[in-house]
Amino acid sequence: MSELVALLLGGLVLAVGTYAMRAGGGAIGDLLQPYPRLQLAVEDSAVLILASVMATSALTDGQAYAGWARPAGVALSGLLAWRGVPLPIVLLVAAGATAGLRALGVA
Amino acid sequence: MSSGQRTDAVSLRTVAMISLSMALVGVAYGAMSVGAGLPVWVAPLLGVVVLAGSSEMLYVGLATATSPWLALPAALLVNVRHVPYGMALRPALGQGATRAYRAHVMNDEAVAFALAERDPERSGSALTRIGTGVLIGWPAGALAGGLLGRGIDQYAFGLDAIFPAVILALVLPALKRARLRPAVIGAAIVSVPAALLLPEGLGPLAGVLALPLALWRSREVFVGRGEDDGSFGDPDEGSGAGR
């Protein structure tokens, strides 16, 4: 089996597995319908996971720190978003500040 | 959040912005895939069928460096967070073909917008719209990145900061809610050391450890809402990210 075919087969399994987790979560959610408190806990958990996705993707690269440039760029963009600056500008600032800090030699 | 208005959950302009930002991250993904020796069409293809950015980048990176069968469990692990996403968005999924489609486009950005809407129909419409925007932007960006080739250095252009910046902008409204603020901050603090210590993908799930900080004040939500009411009650309470 060629390497590319193996990679595509693995990719197909990844696609099926990911879809199963997304659809399966919905199916488990159906069972929670009679329990509003449990539902609130699940909704809160989803928000907390999103916040954690943000924190880990801003601060880490795999199992290492991402350095200073990216967290600084993301923090600056968060400040602008908080002040109500439109999203495209916020994102351009995030990338621009990160790139600028790296150009200045900040890791 | 403007509640009660019978307008669409998210404007096409918002969809275009999210689509464009995901395309920028996709450029880095496409360039990385071609740099690892893969044909140009592989990254866009995976983008359409998997549609889960971080797991695809991890899969392509690990699979080309080691073997696809070692990369697969790691990439699947990164996507485990979609199980609680699906559970939380259950009322917004609809039925039949709509439900099947919404389950596929349930990515981080679409989830953030959908959670911000309290009405199931508006929530589902946000899921469809933002999800479709990502389904277009992400593979299109990956194709562009592959065609541009190795010339794109995502670190030199700061492209790696775009994904966390998008999610941060979407989570900020939840931070403005007194009930969720301590829990959101707690989750962010817990998840970083967890990401450094645990296998990739488990760090974000560790954020759920902060759940008691949110539930401690959940009594407020149920006052005036009725115990047997569904999860989509008072538009100004409950959880929710996005705007």
Side-chain angles (χ1 to χ4, degrees):
Chain A
M1 188 162 53
S2 89
E3 280 176 38
L4 183 60
V5 173
L7 186 135
L8 290 174
L9 275 178
L12 189 66
V13 178
L14 175 61
V16 171
T18 302
Y19 187 82
M21 287 191 267
R22 286 168 166 159
I28 299 169
D30 284 338
L31 304 176
L32 300 184
Q33 208 168 1
Y35 312 103
R37 281 178 188 279
L38 205 52
Q39 272 191 333
L40 182 73
V42 169
E43 281 173 46
D44 285 348
S45 302
V47 176
L48 298 182
I49 292 171
L50 268 178
S52 308
V53 167
M54 182 277 297
T56 53
S57 61
L59 294 167
T60 64
D61 247 340
Q63 274 140 314
Y65 277 113
W68 293 104
R70 189 199 302 163
V74 173
L76 179 63
S77 78
L79 197 64
L80 295 183
W82 184 272
R83 304 295 298 270
V85 172
L87 191 60
I89 300 174
V90 165
L91 300 180
L92 285 177
V93 168
T98 303
L101 283 172
R102 285 183 182 141
L104 292 174
V106 179
Chain B
M1 182 167 59
S2 55
S3 58
Q5 287 171 15
R6 290 283 98 191
T7 50
D8 283 314
V10 289
S11 68
L12 285 180
R13 192 162 149 264
T14 309
V15 174
M17 280 178 207
I18 295 292
S19 188
L20 187 66
S21 23
M22 285 305 107
L24 285 176
V25 188
V27 166
Y29 168 48
M32 181 198 98
S33 304
V34 172
L38 294 175
V40 171
W41 49 267
V42 171
L45 177 69
L46 289 178
V48 170
V49 299
V50 181
L51 196 60
S54 43
S55 74
E56 289 170 47
M57 294 179 92
L58 178 73
Y59 177 69
V60 167
L62 270 183
T64 49
T66 60
S67 122
W69 310 116
L70 286 174
L72 185 58
L76 281 170
L77 200 57
V78 171
N79 288 339
V80 169
R81 68 177 186 280
H82 292 95
V83 175
Y85 284 170
M87 289 165 68
L89 291 177
R90 193 271 323 161
L93 290 177
Q95 293 300 327
T98 309
R99 181 171 182 141
Y101 180 73
R102 284 177 179 167
H104 181 56
V105 298
M106 190 190 290
N107 48 62
D108 292 305
E109 298 74 28
V111 168
F113 274 91
L115 284 173
E117 300 290 341
R118 306 308 303 159
D119 173 62
E121 265 184 42
R122 287 171 60 89
S123 185
S125 143
L127 192 56
T128 302
R129 284 173 166 240
I130 299 290
T132 305
V134 175
L135 181 59
I136 295 167
W138 170 250
L143 180 63
L147 294 174
L148 290 168
R150 305 166 192 226
I152 306 273
D153 177 354
Q154 69 155 326
Y155 285 90
F157 287 95
L159 295 182
D160 55 316
I162 290 185
F163 176 71
V166 174
I167 303 296
L168 176 58
L170 299 179
V171 170
L172 277 179
L175 261 182
K176 288 179 179 169
R177 289 187 182 168
R179 184 179 75 85
L180 280 175
R181 194 180 301 136
V184 166
I185 294 171
I189 292 174
V190 167
S191 64
V192 172
L196 295 175
L197 295 170
L198 302 173
E200 192 152 358
L202 289 183
L205 290 178
V208 176
L209 290 174
L211 186 61
L213 292 175
L215 293 183
W216 179 50
R217 302 179 66 177
S218 70
R219 183 185 293 269
E220 301 165 17
V221 180
F222 289 96
V223 172
R225 174 160 154 178
E227 282 287 337
D228 52 359
D229 194 1
S231 67
F232 288 88
D234 183 347
D236 295 324
E237 254 306 341
S239 47
R243 48 179 94 219

